[in-house]
Amino acid sequence: MDTTTIFRRYVPRQRVFWVLLVCLFSFFVHLGAPEVSLMESRNFVAAREMAAGGSWLIPTMNGELRLAKPPLPTWAVAALLKVVGPTQNLAVLRLPAALMATLLIFFFWGLARELTREQPAEAAAPGRTAWLAALVLASSLLLVTTGREGQWDIFSNCFMVGALWLLVRGLNSAGASYGCFVGAGVLLGCSFLSKGPVALYGLLLPFAACYCIQRLNPAGRARLRAHRGGLLVALLIAVLVGGAWPLYIFEHVQPAALAVAQTEVTAWRERHVQAWWYYLNFPVFAGVWAVVALAALAVPYARRRSEAYIPYVFALGWLLVTLVLLSAVPEKKERYMLPLMPPLALLMGGMLRHWETSRTLPRLRPADGVWLRVWAGLLLLVCLLVPVAMVVIKLPGFEPATLRFGAALGVFGSLAVLVWRQGWQRRQPVHLTGASAAGMAAVLALLMPAYPVWEARKGDGSLRHISDVRERADLQRLPWVGQQEVHIKQVWNAGRAIPTWHPDTTAAELPPLPVVVFSSDPHVLEKLPRKWRARLRSERIDSFFLGRTAKDGWWMVSLLQRKVNVNECQSISYISNCTR
């Protein structure tokens, strides 16, 4: 049975519409609002050079080899640049990541459907638990923040979740289902091409371990044996797809590849090191669903209530094994918690289904009522505080007299009334679910434009930046070099490569002159070999600040050229005549 038939049979069109609507607000609305991040700068610079004529198999970043991360996300952005042309528009450049985030949600929806298909309570409302879990995942805080950035994690996790879905679907099939296993192998390879073995370790390993333990019974072992051929096909395809690029790199730039591999392994132990308990606050990253997450993790309370809708022990084990594996790695970042979100969303989907069903009983159980009241109370508090915060912060364009403030007041006021009446007083989980998803969408739609305003609130708008230097017509046709390594964010904002110049090496040669030199040191000539100084002259022609305030530091822009007769080159407007 193909994917289209699956969705037509089990998924009403209304559910698809609501998931797409949540994804639209979560990943696409005001996509270009936040400024470019460090990880995005690296990816976008590499994609820009690739699309401008660089190698697609041996990527570069600012003119130097970029082998630290596999190239699939860079290929996606570079392909987009080939279609739309050179652009600095962040909303456009983040589209591949947003599409991957949306695809991840649908992959997870399919996976959750497969995992809950045989649960005893599914007959009452087929597919609803999986649908609720997909809605929760799509509007969870960590997915929203990660899905709106053009970095590698969302790609690798998206492909891995898709691979898990197809693997489970293939194992659940009565026939051979080689199509599912072939697709799973391709997605496994794509995940490796996105961020190496990270998702294999953080998603596949804990899921496979818990799934195999769950299948220790005779029927489960028989099902695994029946699909040995399909699993082998998936493995072979994954190795072929995922190993093709590393093999190519090893054959063509072996010394550089080995050096990068050693650096990356060392970074796992020494860079961004955090304590083992760093990830224990992961329920907070569920965002508006944090109370639901805590309820789902309260094992004595949640297990006997949720296991009719989800395989609770399996989902909890998947989550805990993932947490242990992630915590065992010294290097930790918030976005590395992404593999925790799918099992957590599955647990929350089961919790929501129990609460919905409990409302059909003659009397709501006291423990359920307490959790629903806590959830409603926190939502109510957030809805009331958002307009108050807008007044207190006094951001330009968001004052009480503005249209944005009026819209926020109306939306969050309406949500507060809904939460009070249906959530707090009547304790209706369906309305709380809708209010949570709508509240997250409202924050993104109405308040996301405030993000760049908030970032720039203490900045000096009169400062000159490297983007202003980029606009100078007299410098656009000249080569640019950095006497020290130029920060990758500055390279991105420059719109072109600024490779680091190493004139102190034995094989160093003068670049084509004249050349624009970026330096933090005003003494450009003194940093050059002595044999060159008598033949060259340096003239400071510009400068720029590195941040929004003067205290962030500044760099100088100098023009380096041969010493010539003054009459031949009197001003910067004639520098094109001052050549070798």
Side-chain angles (χ1 to χ4, degrees):
M1 187 184 300
D2 60 16
T3 306
T4 304
T5 305
I6 297 169
F7 274 89
R8 283 179 178 173
R9 174 178 289 187
Y10 296 114
V11 183
R13 294 179 181 178
Q14 295 89 340
R15 292 182 182 175
V16 176
F17 168 78
W18 287 114
V19 172
L20 285 173
L21 185 64
V22 171
C23 290
L24 174 66
F25 281 96
S26 293
F27 308 125
F28 294 93
V29 172
H30 301 305
L31 187 56
E35 70 172 15
V36 67
S37 67
L38 175 61
M39 299 300 295
E40 287 182 308
S41 298
R42 292 171 177 167
N43 199 12
F44 294 163
V45 166
R48 183 172 65 193
E49 295 179 12
M50 190 179 287
S55 172
W56 286 63
L57 292 177
I58 307 180
T60 60
M61 184 180 71
N62 198 29
E64 299 183 359
L65 290 179
R66 176 59 173 164
L67 307 178
K69 298 293 187 296
L72 195 150
T74 310
W75 290 342
V77 180
L80 183 64
L81 288 173
K82 280 290 189 181
V83 174
V84 303
T87 180
Q88 296 279 115
N89 189 325
L90 293 177
V92 173
L93 295 171
R94 288 167 176 159
L95 278 176
L99 291 171
M100 284 295 105
T102 303
L103 189 59
L104 186 152
I105 299 304
F106 279 87
F107 281 156
F108 172 74
W109 189 359
L111 175 61
R113 185 69 182 91
E114 292 297 327
L115 294 175
T116 59
R117 185 185 303 278
E118 298 178 358
Q119 295 304 115
E122 271 296 283
R128 183 168 178 83
T129 304
W131 176 66
L132 288 172
L135 287 177
V136 168
L137 186 63
S139 52
S140 62
L141 179 61
L142 189 59
L143 253 294
V144 170
T145 55
T146 309
R148 300 175 73 90
E149 276 197 22
Q151 39 77 19
W152 297 278
D153 296 84
I154 196 66
F155 284 81
S156 62
N157 284 276
C158 169
F159 291 126
M160 185 55 67
V161 171
L164 295 180
W165 168 47
L166 291 178
L167 285 173
V168 174
R169 172 147 189 84
L171 292 171
N172 286 344
S173 300
S177 296
Y178 279 104
C180 289
F181 292 108
V182 169
V186 172
L187 292 176
L188 284 170
C190 289
S191 178
F192 191 87
L193 287 177
S194 298
K195 206 177 179 182
V198 172
L200 296 175
Y201 177 80
L203 260 175
L204 178 62
L205 180 57
F207 181 90
C210 295
Y211 189 84
C212 290
I213 292 174
Q214 186 189 35
R215 299 290 178 177
L216 287 179
N217 57 76
R221 290 197 298 269
R223 182 177 296 182
L224 290 174
R225 285 196 299 269
H227 292 287
R228 284 179 298 184
L231 292 172
L232 181 60
V233 168
L235 177 62
L236 290 175
I237 293 177
V239 171
L240 290 174
V241 174
W245 180 79
L247 181 61
Y248 180 88
I249 291 298
F250 189 79
E251 289 182 351
H252 288 78
V253 286
Q254 180 177 345
L258 292 175
V260 168
Q262 182 61 42
T263 301
E264 288 298 300
V265 171
T266 303
W268 292 345
R269 300 192 306 264
E270 300 178 357
R271 193 169 55 190
H272 304 293
V273 174
Q274 302 289 345
W276 65 267
W277 58 81
Y278 183 76
Y279 292 140
L280 292 183
N281 65 340
F282 69 91
V284 175
F285 289 88
V288 293
W289 309 101
V291 173
V292 185
L294 292 174
L297 293 172
V299 179
Y301 167 78
R303 178 179 177 179
R304 58 191 179 89
R305 291 171 169 82
S306 298
E307 58 188 1
Y309 308 97
I310 61 171
Y312 184 87
V313 174
F314 163 78
L316 183 64
W318 178 15
L319 177 74
L320 294 179
V321 173
T322 304
L323 180 62
V324 170
L325 291 178
L326 294 179
S327 300
V329 179
E331 183 184 17
K332 296 179 178 67
K333 295 180 182 179
E334 288 181 354
R335 69 173 184 274
Y336 291 175
M337 285 190 285
L338 201 56
L340 292 169
M341 291 298 109
L344 182 61
L346 184 61
L347 290 169
M348 290 190 284
M351 198 73 261
L352 291 175
R353 281 288 288 126
H354 163 72
W355 284 340
E356 287 183 357
T357 307
S358 67
R359 289 303 302 162
T360 63
L361 300 176
R363 184 177 179 182
L364 184 66
R365 295 177 181 176
D368 296 331
V370 170
W371 279 109
L372 291 173
R373 278 252 168 104
V374 173
W375 184 14
L378 287 178
L379 282 179
L380 184 61
L381 182 63
V382 170
C383 291
L384 295 176
L385 287 181
V386 167
V388 174
M390 293 177 69
V391 174
V392 173
I393 295 174
K394 299 179 180 179
L395 285 179
F398 293 84
E399 299 91 345
T402 61
L403 179 61
R404 282 196 182 104
F405 179 83
L409 186 62
V411 170
F412 287 100
S414 299
L415 286 175
V417 172
L418 174 67
V419 170
W420 170 254
R421 290 181 177 177
Q422 302 296 335
W424 181 266
Q425 293 183 330
R426 300 179 183 177
R427 289 173 287 186
Q428 293 286 350
V430 173
H431 291 87
L432 288 175
T433 300
S436 297
M440 190 66 185
V443 168
L444 295 168
L446 298 174
L447 302 184
M448 185 56 72
Y451 194 88
V453 180
W454 174 261
E455 287 183 322
R457 68 191 184 284
K458 296 182 179 180
D460 185 349
S462 64
L463 296 181
R464 188 168 178 81
H465 295 93
I466 197 170
S467 56
D468 300 307
V469 179
R470 181 184 66 197
E471 300 299 324
R472 290 187 52 162
D474 56 336
L475 303 183
Q476 291 179 358
R477 294 183 179 274
L478 298 179
W480 290 11
V481 298
Q483 202 162 35
Q484 298 87 34
E485 183 179 0
V486 181
H487 193 278
I488 196 63
K489 275 194 175 185
Q490 301 297 332
V491 174
W492 166 249
N493 290 323
R496 60 186 293 178
I498 311 177
T500 305
W501 187 21
H502 302 285
D504 53 340
T505 60
T506 305
E509 295 182 359
L510 275 172
L513 296 178
V515 61
V516 181
V517 180
F518 292 76
S519 176
S520 61
D521 192 327
H523 307 292
V524 173
L525 286 177
E526 294 181 7
K527 301 296 182 181
L528 300 179
R530 187 180 299 274
K531 62 181 180 180
W532 293 352
R533 296 176 193 170
R535 295 184 289 145
L536 302 174
R537 69 185 183 92
S538 173
E539 177 185 359
R540 190 185 304 175
I541 58 174
D542 212 331
S543 63
F544 62 92
F545 288 88
L546 301 177
R548 294 189 177 91
T549 62
K551 67 179 181 180
D552 294 325
W554 61 290
W555 273 38
M556 286 139 285
V557 184
S558 302
L559 184 70
L560 187 67
Q561 52 190 328
R562 286 185 178 275
K563 286 183 178 179
V564 293
N565 187 288
V566 177
N567 294 328
E568 295 181 30
C569 189
Q570 295 181 345
S571 66
I572 299 303
S573 61
Y574 297 102
I575 59 178
S576 60
N577 296 323
C578 303
T579 62
R580 278 185 162 183

